[in-house]
Amino acid sequence: MAKTILAVDDSASIRQMVAFTLKGAGYEVIQAVDGEDALEKANKHTVNLVLTDINMPRMDGLKLLELLRKLSNYKTVPILMLTTESGDDIKAKGRAAGATGWLVKPFDPKRLLEVIAKVIG
Amino acid sequence: MSNDLEQFYEIFFEESSELLADMEACLLRLDVNSPDLEDLNAIFRAAHSIKGGAGTFGFTDMTETTHMLETLLDKLRKGELEVRSEMVDAFLKAGDVIKHQLAGHRGEGEADPAEAAAVLEELKKLSDETQAPPKQEPSNVQTQTDAPQEKPPVVTNSVPAPETLAKNSYCIEFSKFGLTDAALDNLHNNLKSLGSLQDKTASGEHDVCKLFLATDKSEEDVWETLAFVVDPEKLKIESVAANNAEDKVSQIQAKNNSESVIHDEDEEMSLDKMPPAPGYGFFPDAPAAPREDGSSDLVAKSSNQNADQRQAAKSSAKAAPAAASSEASSIRVSIEKVDQMINLVGELVITQAMLAQTASQFDPVVFEKLHSGMSQLERNTRDLQESVMSIRMMPISFVFSRYPRVVRDLASKLNKRVELKTVGENTELDKGLIEKIADPLTHLVRNSLDHGVETPEKRIAAGKPAQGTITLRAFHQGGSIVIEVSDDGAGLNRAKILAKARERGLPVHDGMTDQEVWLLIFEAGFSTADAVTDVSGRGVGMDVVKRNIQSLGGRIDIESSFGVGTRISIRLPLTLAILDGLSVAVGDQMFIVPLNYIIESLQPTSADIKTVSGNGRVVQVRGEYLPVIALHEIFNLKPNVTSVHEGILVILEAEGHKSALFVDDLVGQHQVVIKSLETNYRRVKGVSGATIMGDGKVALILDTAALVMASQQEMV
C-alpha cells in the first residue's frame, strides 16, 4: 500500500507542488491548509509522514507538532518541518516540539523525495 | 522537473495577488500609533508566503523584495522597531513593486528594476535604523541553502563556516563515552588528515575529549568525520578565529580536569546522525528519524516501536470518531470548470422542464408515482442550480478592499482628509459582475473624492468636520444587488449643471426635476469641475460608468443635496447567467422580458390608446402618455391580436423612461438560463440573448433598454 503523507502549508502553490511531486513518486497525499486543518485530518487518516510548514495562520507548524505528538498514534510518526526559516532558533523550537527533521524552502522536488525516502523509505 | 513546476505558476500568481491584497488591507487599517500585532503578523505571513513561493519558482526579484520586507516586518512584530508611517508607505510601495514583478512574471508588462532597487534601499534604510544589531544582509536571500543554515541544529554554539579554503580553526569537544581506544585513535587520525590537530584534553577529564583543529576543510567536513563515530548530541564544534583559538581552548581546559576513561565496545550510544546535506537535516533523537546503515539497536528498537505505533495508529484511526467539526476549508477551481458546471445545470433545468411538460399530459391519478417523481426532480434540480450558482458568488469585499488604498493615495494628493467606510462587504454577487463593477466603482469613488468632498478649510467653513466621509455600501434588494457610493461633500450644483448643459447645447429647461438634472452628468463629455485635475474632471468617466453599468443589466441613480452630499446607487442583477423573466407570447413565438424592467402589465381600453402623428401610438396610463412598442412589428411576426386593447401592455421602465410593450399574452414567470445569441448566431438588435424553454423551443430575451430607448426616440 502506498504510504500516506500529510502535507501542511497555507500557500496553495507550495502545497500543490509538494502534493504533485509526492503523488508522482507514488505516495498518497493528504493536504491541509493550516495546523487546525492538519490536526483534524491527522485524526481521520492514518498518516506515515507529516510534512508541515511553520508559519501559518490559525495554528502554526510548531503548535501542530506539539499537538500531534500528544496523540498516541502520532508519537513516532516522522514529522518534517518545511520552512523558509533557516535560523537555528526555529529549528531548536521545532526540535523541542518533536520534529523529526527539517527541510528548507525553497527546495527542489528531487531533494524533497530524497529526504522523504530517507525517512519512510 | 522544472517543466512540471510551470503548472503551479498560475496558482502561485493568484495566491500572491491575494496575499498582496490582504497585505495591503492590513497595512491600510494599521494604526501607526498602536499597531495591532495580529495585523503585523498577518502582513509578515503574507510577505513570508510570497517569498517562499517565489523562491521555489525561482523568481529571484520577488524573493529579494519580500525578503527585505520580511526583515523589517520581523523587527516590527518583535518590537525591535516602532512602526512609523514612512514604513507603512514603504511597505505599500514594496507591495506595488511586488505586484509589478508578479505581473512581469505573468507576462503582463515589465517590472522596473530601478523601482525595486529604490524600495529595497528604502526598506533597508528603515530596517537599519534599529538600535539592535543589524540582521543578515538582504543579499542573503538566495543563500538559504548555503552552509550556515545547514548545520544540524544540535551544533548550537557554532558560527557559520566560511566556504573558502582559508584556514579555519575549530574547537571540538565531545564525549568519549562509548568509544573504544581504537575508535578514538582512528578519529584522531582522521582529523589529522584534515589539518593540524592539537589535543587539548585536560588530564583530569575522563569523559570529555577536547581538540583544536586548524584545517582547510569546512565545518561540515569536520562534522562529517566526527558524526559517524561520536554521539552528535554530545559533540560540539566551535569555529574560532585563529588568533583567539588557543585562548578559548585553554579556557575550556581550565574548567575541566579529569582523566579519560576507556569504555567497552558499546555502540548503543552512537545514534545515527545524518551528515549535513544541503538544505535539510534530522534531529538525531527525534521520533522516527531515519536510520543510516549499521544503525544501532536503539534505533532499530525505536523503529519497531514505530511500526507498532503505526499499527496502533491504524486501528485507532478506524475507531476514532470524525473529530472536530470541519471549519472553513476551500479548494481552488478554475472558473471554466464552474462555468461548465453552470452550463450543464442549465441544460439539466431545460431537460427537467421538458420532462415535466411531457409528464403533465399523463393522468395524475394513474401515473401518481411519475408525478411525485417529477416534482421531486424539479426540487432537486432547483436546489442544484442554486448551489451551483452560489459557487460563482463572491463577496463584494473583493472589490471594496481596493478602495482604501485609492482613497488614501488620492486624498493625500488632493490635500483632503477623507475616511472611507464600507458597509456590507460580505454581500455576494457573481464573480463576473465583481470583475466588471470594479472600474466603474473606482470612477465613482474618485469622483466623490475629487468633486464631492471639499477641502478641510471649506468643510470647516461650512460647519462640517474637517474629515470627509465616503461610504461604500452593498446590500441585496429583491433579486438585485445595490451598491452605493455616498459622500458628505458639497453635493451636486443644479445651477452649474444646467448652465454647463446649455453651454453644450443639451435640451434642458429650468423645470426639469432634480433627478433629470443629475442624470445629465452621465452625458458624454460632461464635467462641471472648474479646473481639470489629473484625478478627474476631464469629462470622461461618468458616461463610461453609465454604459458599463447598463451593459451589466444594471442601472444607476443619483441622489444629491447641495451642501450635504451625494449618493450614487448602482443596481445590478445578482448574476449574469440566470435571469428572472416574464415570458410573453406574440403569435407562435415566445419572448422573455427581464423582470427587473417591468413595472406592471395591463389590458388597456381602446379609449386609452391614442395615435400620434402617423404611425406612433401612445397609451395613457395614470395620466402619463407612454409610447407603445408593438413587438410583432419589430420582429415582423404575425400576431394573434392586432388591436392594442385586445392584447396586453407590459409597462417597462429603462433609464428613467417608460414605454408600453404590446404583446398577445402573458405566459408565465421563469428563471431562464441566458445563452449568448452572439456566440451561437449573431447579434440581433433588440435582443440581448436567448434561452431554451421547457418545450425545447428557443425564446429570445428582449434587450428592454434598447427597445425603450428606440421608442422614446420615435416619440421625439
Side-chain angles (χ1 to χ4, degrees):
Chain A
M1 209 184 92
K3 298 234 163 99
T4 305
I5 296 174
L6 176 62
V8 194
D9 201 310
D10 57 326
S11 147
S13 54
I14 299 271
R15 195 174 61 240
Q16 292 189 19
M17 204 189 83
V18 167
F20 174 81
T21 308
L22 296 178
K23 279 181 189 157
Y27 295 106
E28 293 277 324
V29 182
I30 299 168
Q31 301 184 36
V33 298
D34 59 28
E36 279 184 35
D37 189 24
L39 206 57
E40 195 181 302
K41 284 173 176 156
N43 263 319
K44 277 190 202 154
H45 306 271
T46 304
V47 172
N48 300 100
L49 180 134
V50 181
L51 190 63
T52 180
D53 186 25
I54 293 300
N55 217 315
M56 292 181 291
R58 290 212 298 172
M59 186 197 290
D60 69 11
L62 293 174
K63 185 83 190 157
L64 170 69
L65 265 164
E66 207 177 290
L67 293 178
L68 276 179
R69 287 301 184 211
K70 281 186 186 153
L71 299 173
S72 64
N73 45 344
Y74 279 88
K75 287 263 188 291
T76 57
V77 172
I79 304 179
L80 294 179
M81 309 190 293
L82 183 61
T83 174
T84 44
E85 282 170 275
S86 39
D88 284 342
D89 176 47
I90 200 81
K91 277 178 211 151
K93 277 187 194 156
R95 180 178 201 206
T100 304
W102 48 274
L103 177 62
V104 293
K105 286 194 289 198
F107 60 91
D108 73 276
K110 218 173 83 207
R111 191 185 332 131
L112 176 69
L113 291 176
E114 217 174 87
V115 174
I116 285 179
K118 278 199 164 107
V119 186
I120 55 173
Chain B
M1 221 53 191
S2 73
N3 280 339
D4 293 334
L5 280 186
E6 274 163 27
Q7 59 177 307
F8 299 103
Y9 283 6
E10 201 43 51
I11 305 171
F12 168 70
F13 292 149
E14 269 181 45
E15 176 180 86
S16 302
S17 323
E18 276 170 29
L19 285 168
L20 282 170
D22 287 352
M23 190 167 95
E24 199 174 282
C26 285
L27 280 170
L28 290 169
R29 71 162 175 261
L30 197 68
D31 180 359
V32 175
N33 299 320
S34 60
D36 182 359
L37 193 62
E38 251 324 292
D39 277 348
L40 282 176
N41 273 329
I43 299 166
F44 175 81
R45 250 196 326 265
H48 182 79
S49 287
I50 297 171
K51 183 178 119 181
T56 305
F57 295 111
F59 301 141
T60 16
D61 52 347
M62 285 174 70
T63 333
E64 261 175 64
T65 319
T66 42
H67 178 77
M68 206 55 237
L69 200 60
E70 195 190 61
T71 310
L72 181 50
L73 280 162
D74 198 37
K75 283 182 184 169
L76 294 179
R77 69 178 189 147
K78 285 184 179 150
E80 288 171 22
L81 277 178
E82 294 275 310
V83 183
R84 296 202 313 269
S85 60
E86 303 101 272
M87 288 183 188
V88 177
D89 290 339
F91 288 151
L92 287 171
K93 259 187 247 166
D96 289 345
V97 166
I98 300 168
K99 243 181 250 171
H100 295 154
Q101 288 169 338
L102 193 65
H105 291 303
R106 278 183 120 142
E108 298 165 359
E110 214 140 294
D112 180 8
E115 179 193 38
V119 165
L120 275 180
E121 187 58 37
E122 195 175 341
L123 286 173
K124 189 165 174 345
K125 221 171 75 203
L126 287 165
S127 161
D128 285 346
E129 280 167 19
T130 170
Q131 310 85 331
K135 294 194 74 164
Q136 67 184 128
E137 279 295 299
S139 58
N140 264 357
V141 156
Q142 280 298 50
T143 61
Q144 284 155 342
T145 50
D146 283 359
Q149 282 82 21
E150 281 151 21
K151 289 169 281 115
V154 284
V155 190
T156 44
N157 281 340
S158 58
V159 169
E163 292 277 353
T164 58
L165 285 180
K167 279 240 169 190
N168 301 317
S169 303
Y170 301 104
C171 268
I172 302 164
E173 194 180 344
F174 60 88
S175 162
K176 284 195 283 200
F177 184 72
L179 293 178
T180 60
D181 257 349
L184 267 176
D185 281 345
N186 202 2
L187 193 68
H188 272 87
N189 289 334
N190 285 344
L191 287 172
K192 270 180 196 151
S193 72
L194 297 175
S196 88
L197 184 75
Q198 280 174 279
D199 194 341
K200 296 281 179 183
T201 313
S203 54
E205 292 177 285
H206 31 262
D207 53 2
V208 185
C209 184
K210 293 200 180 98
L211 301 168
F212 179 68
L213 177 71
T215 176
D216 291 338
K217 307 287 188 209
S218 70
E219 187 175 326
E220 275 162 46
D221 293 325
V222 180
W223 178 268
E224 214 167 323
T225 311
L226 287 161
F228 280 105
V229 189
V230 182
D231 177 2
E233 259 294 55
K234 300 192 172 124
L235 172 64
K236 216 158 105 183
I237 299 180
E238 197 165 347
S239 170
V240 283
N243 54 358
N244 67 11
E246 293 280 340
D247 293 347
K248 273 217 170 166
V249 173
S250 34
Q251 267 172 24
I252 299 167
Q253 242 171 345
K255 274 191 284 175
N256 309 281
N257 45 12
S258 50
E259 194 171 68
S260 42
V261 170
I262 299 152
H263 286 262
D264 287 337
E265 276 187 47
D266 180 7
E267 296 275 33
E268 260 190 21
M269 289 308 292
S270 87
L271 279 168
D272 61 311
K273 171 73 200 83
M274 288 290 302
Y280 68 91
F282 303 107
F283 305 122
D285 54 347
R291 280 167 291 155
E292 284 292 302
D293 292 339
S295 61
S296 68
D297 290 347
L298 201 70
V299 174
K301 211 172 100 198
S302 94
S303 95
N304 276 342
Q305 230 174 27
N306 219 338
D308 289 349
Q309 288 285 357
R310 271 179 219 159
Q311 203 55 44
K314 260 179 210 158
S315 49
S316 76
K318 261 181 221 152
S325 69
S326 82
E327 266 179 73
S329 72
S330 60
I331 55 164
R332 201 177 286 266
V333 182
S334 79
I335 195 79
E336 289 90 45
K337 280 189 185 173
V338 176
D339 284 347
Q340 192 188 4
M341 209 150 100
I342 288 172
N343 249 323
L344 288 173
V345 170
E347 303 289 339
L348 182 67
V349 169
I350 291 161
T351 313
Q352 180 270 327
M354 255 151 75
L355 280 174
Q357 199 153 17
T358 314
S360 66
Q361 293 160 10
F362 294 100
D363 184 344
V365 181
V366 185
F367 298 98
E368 195 198 330
K369 275 203 173 141
L370 175 70
H371 282 277
S372 70
M374 285 310 300
S375 56
Q376 172 108 31
L377 178 66
E378 192 194 333
R379 268 200 308 279
N380 292 347
T381 320
R382 205 182 316 122
D383 290 350
L384 181 66
Q385 190 179 23
E386 262 169 38
S387 32
V388 168
M389 290 313 296
S390 72
I391 299 176
R392 271 186 71 103
M393 294 299 209
M394 285 166 90
I396 195 150
S397 55
F398 276 85
V399 187
F400 278 6
S401 61
R402 69 170 70 181
Y403 297 116
R405 180 75 189 274
V406 171
V407 169
R408 186 193 145 102
D409 289 356
L410 209 56
S412 66
K413 206 168 180 177
L414 296 168
N415 289 322
K416 290 181 180 179
R417 287 177 51 197
V418 181
E419 183 195 9
L420 182 76
K421 279 190 190 159
T422 52
V423 183
E425 299 101 315
N426 292 324
T427 313
E428 290 194 323
L429 75 163
D430 192 274
K431 183 179 157 64
L433 282 174
I434 291 247
E435 282 158 4
K436 288 178 185 144
I437 195 69
D439 283 346
L441 219 48
T442 309
H443 263 295
L444 293 179
V445 170
R446 291 170 75 100
N447 256 315
S448 274
L449 233 163
D450 196 12
H451 303 310
V453 179
E454 316 92 323
T455 57
E457 302 80 55
K458 270 192 196 166
R459 288 183 65 89
I460 289 167
K464 293 185 194 178
Q467 186 178 49
T469 309
I470 293 180
T471 310
L472 283 171
R473 187 194 307 267
F475 55 92
H476 285 292
Q477 200 174 65
S480 325
I481 178 165
V482 182
I483 304 165
E484 288 178 356
V485 181
S486 49
D487 64 65
D488 62 350
L492 294 175
N493 187 331
R494 184 187 159 99
K496 216 161 156 185
I497 293 173
L498 281 174
K500 181 89 184 177
R502 283 200 190 92
E503 195 182 297
R504 287 187 46 82
L506 294 170
V508 291
H509 53 89
D510 287 333
M512 285 169 84
T513 64
D514 277 353
Q515 182 67 24
E516 284 168 324
V517 173
W518 306 150
L519 286 174
L520 288 172
I521 67 168
F522 290 116
E523 294 293 326
F526 200 94
S527 173
T528 57
D530 296 325
V532 171
T533 68
D534 64 339
V535 178
S536 52
R538 275 169 296 191
V540 291
M542 285 309 249
D543 57 322
V544 179
V545 169
K546 191 186 180 193
R547 255 210 315 280
N548 284 346
I549 301 291
Q550 277 173 352
S551 71
L552 297 175
R555 60 168 215 252
I556 190 163
D557 288 310
I558 304 182
E559 286 167 79
S560 184
S561 176
F562 188 66
V564 178
T566 307
R567 176 162 62 215
I568 300 181
S569 45
I570 298 168
R571 187 176 290 269
L572 290 168
L574 270 183
T575 168
L576 295 174
I578 284 193
L579 175 121
D580 267 313
L582 181 74
S583 50
V584 297
V586 179
D588 56 354
Q589 292 286 318
M590 194 85 90
F591 293 92
I592 307 290
V593 185
L595 218 52
N596 51 342
Y597 288 101
I598 299 175
I599 297 172
E600 60 180 330
S601 38
L602 50 92
Q603 200 155 20
T605 60
S606 51
D608 294 335
I609 314 292
K610 306 252 179 336
T611 305
V612 192
S613 60
N615 56 2
R617 265 179 299 183
V618 294
V619 59
Q620 189 187 15
V621 181
R622 282 186 271 283
E624 246 182 308
Y625 285 97
L626 309 177
V628 173
I629 310 164
L631 212 51
H632 66 269
E633 282 169 14
I634 289 171
F635 293 108
N636 206 10
L637 299 167
K638 215 170 140 312
N640 295 337
V641 290
T642 41
S643 46
V644 177
H645 64 273
E646 285 168 22
I648 303 269
L649 286 180
V650 182
I651 312 297
L652 306 173
E653 182 178 358
E655 296 168 35
H657 299 292
K658 287 185 196 163
S659 294
L661 186 73
F662 169 44
V663 297
D664 288 0
D665 209 353
L666 303 181
V667 180
Q669 190 186 324
H670 303 275
Q671 269 211 333
V672 299
V673 182
I674 304 174
K675 305 266 176 194
S676 163
L677 198 61
E678 230 165 315
T679 52
N680 295 315
Y681 176 53
R682 63 182 174 82
R683 201 170 156 71
V684 177
K685 213 180 156 213
V687 175
S688 64
T691 191
I692 303 171
M693 302 299 287
D695 56 4
K697 280 188 190 160
V698 172
L700 298 177
I701 301 166
L702 297 180
D703 185 353
T704 321
L707 289 176
V708 171
M709 290 321 286
S711 70
Q712 294 291 331
Q713 265 154 26
E714 265 171 41
M715 285 273 284
V716 178

